[in-house]
Amino acid sequence: MRICILASGSKGNCTYIESENSKILIDAGLSKKEIENRLSLIKVSPADIDAILVTHEHSDHIKGLERFSNFYKCKVYGHRDSFSMIEEKCSLIPLSQQVEFCSNDFNIKDLTISPFDLDHDSSHCVGFSVMENGKKFTIATDLGHMTPEIEKRLKTSDFIVLESNHDIQTLKNNPNYSYSLKQRILSKYGHISNDECSNTILNLIGHKTRGIMLAHLSEQNNSKELAINEINKKLIKNNIKAEDFNMYVGVATQNNVSNIFKIK
Ligand SMILES: [Zn+2]
Ligand SMILES: [Zn+2]
């Protein structure tokens, strides 16, 4: 399986996953043109995309959904409880292209997709595990808080994309954010902080995970350095040596496509 994060952050999210026989996107939060541009950077034809899996209806996840899926006639997979909101916000996905899922696993060609619920302030929000040949990739962003169930899923994944949205103090000090917006982000239905993300990463040590991309970083309330420093601080505090921390950690960004990660 090959994975590339085409964009991540509050201005648009889109992740590309490819197996031997399938090419899918998770979310289409960039314009159609920008998705095409970014796919071309990794030499993928947009016409080859089989399906788009949608996590939830916030615009940073569906901005280009209608135009891209209508143009390329790819299937759109959405949770049963969020499809009406997805349609309300971006409308007009032909019925023949809509595929609803619930909590059960489903297949797209040679990929098995396992959706799981996330607490977030949308009609319904999910993360996905994507499996091929015993290898597992999991993406969990836009979650208000970590739960033991999600953590268990991350521990059994080879590669993960995990939200590290904000530095708590930077957010609290941000004069551009209203009190209510800060409360929304910090709540159990908002986004997880660098602190919560790094605590989760510590719990993954010794398990299956070998690669992590930190994702959905806030432009105003976070930076690559703050997110990575938080992990390093926790490693030192817990006396964890570099050789015991056997994981690649990278940061996904808004404006650039990530490396292409291969898990096999
Ligand atoms: Zn959201
Ligand atoms: Zn989002």
Side-chain angles (χ1 to χ4, degrees):
M1 196 172 359
R2 303 200 313 153
I3 296 138
C4 179
I5 302 162
L6 301 182
S8 182
S10 51
K11 292 197 178 129
N13 295 276
C14 190
T15 298
Y16 170 75
I17 300 168
E18 173 188 301
S19 62
E20 210 174 311
N21 300 319
S22 336
K23 292 180 168 66
I24 63 168
L25 297 176
I26 294 183
D27 289 328
L30 302 169
S31 68
K32 168 179 166 281
K33 191 169 171 31
E34 196 53 35
I35 297 172
E36 290 165 348
N37 288 344
R38 296 195 186 201
L39 285 172
S40 76
L41 293 174
I42 56 167
K43 302 192 170 28
V44 173
S45 164
D48 291 343
I49 298 295
D50 297 298
I52 303 172
L53 311 181
V54 182
T55 58
H56 64 300
E57 79 276 10
H58 287 161
S59 63
D60 55 321
H61 298 262
I62 62 165
K63 202 180 297 165
L65 181 67
E66 179 186 353
R67 289 201 64 206
F68 189 95
S69 62
N70 281 352
F71 192 86
Y72 293 108
K73 309 275 174 259
C74 49
K75 297 257 192 252
V76 176
Y77 287 73
H79 192 278
R80 187 181 55 188
D81 296 339
S82 62
F83 229 114
S84 58
M85 279 305 288
I86 292 169
E87 285 225 284
E88 199 170 295
K89 290 214 171 173
C90 77
S91 74
L92 291 179
I93 297 163
L95 262 178
S96 59
Q97 285 168 237
Q98 294 182 19
V99 187
E100 288 188 353
F101 60 82
C102 306
S103 52
N104 296 337
D105 293 1
F106 57 90
N107 294 310
I108 297 174
K109 295 185 179 173
D110 55 347
L111 291 174
T112 302
I113 316 289
S114 177
F116 55 100
D117 293 347
L118 300 174
D119 282 329
H120 186 58
D121 52 4
S122 61
S123 62
H124 195 99
C125 186
V126 295
F128 293 104
S129 293
V130 181
M131 281 94 64
E132 184 210 13
N133 284 336
K135 293 292 170 189
K136 183 164 159 186
F137 162 73
T138 297
I139 181 164
T141 69
D142 302 75
L143 63 157
H145 59 106
M146 187 51 64
T147 66
E149 292 75 38
I150 300 169
E151 207 169 273
K152 205 164 130 191
R153 193 177 270 274
L154 298 174
K155 282 176 179 166
T156 55
S157 301
D158 301 274
F159 190 85
I160 65 174
V161 170
L162 180 60
E163 176 163 68
S164 196
N165 180 258
H166 55 275
D167 173 73
I168 295 172
Q169 213 47 53
T170 308
L171 171 64
K172 283 183 174 169
N173 293 340
N174 187 341
N176 304 322
Y177 276 42
S178 66
Y179 177 77
S180 60
L181 180 55
K182 289 178 187 181
Q183 291 309 109
R184 198 216 111 199
I185 295 167
L186 291 164
S187 78
K188 285 200 169 310
Y189 298 94
H191 293 276
I192 66 167
S193 65
N194 294 346
D195 183 53
E196 200 165 1
C197 175
S198 56
N199 284 337
T200 303
I201 291 173
L202 286 199
N203 293 339
L204 302 181
I205 296 171
H207 294 272
K208 206 177 170 195
T209 317
R210 288 293 165 268
I212 301 169
M213 282 299 277
L214 307 179
H216 216 300
L217 269 69
S218 163
E219 253 177 358
Q220 288 201 28
N221 306 311
N222 208 355
S223 68
K224 193 175 167 175
E225 291 71 30
L226 281 169
I228 294 283
N229 283 347
E230 191 66 38
I231 298 168
N232 289 333
K233 255 182 8 201
K234 296 268 167 65
L235 293 177
I236 292 167
K237 201 173 158 198
N238 289 276
N239 286 320
I240 296 162
K241 298 184 199 79
E243 59 265 34
D244 297 327
F245 187 68
N246 188 17
M247 286 181 218
Y248 165 85
V249 181
V251 182
T253 64
Q254 190 71 83
N255 296 322
N256 297 301
V257 301
S258 73
N259 293 333
I260 297 171
F261 301 99
K262 292 180 192 163
I263 50 174
K264 53 181 179 185

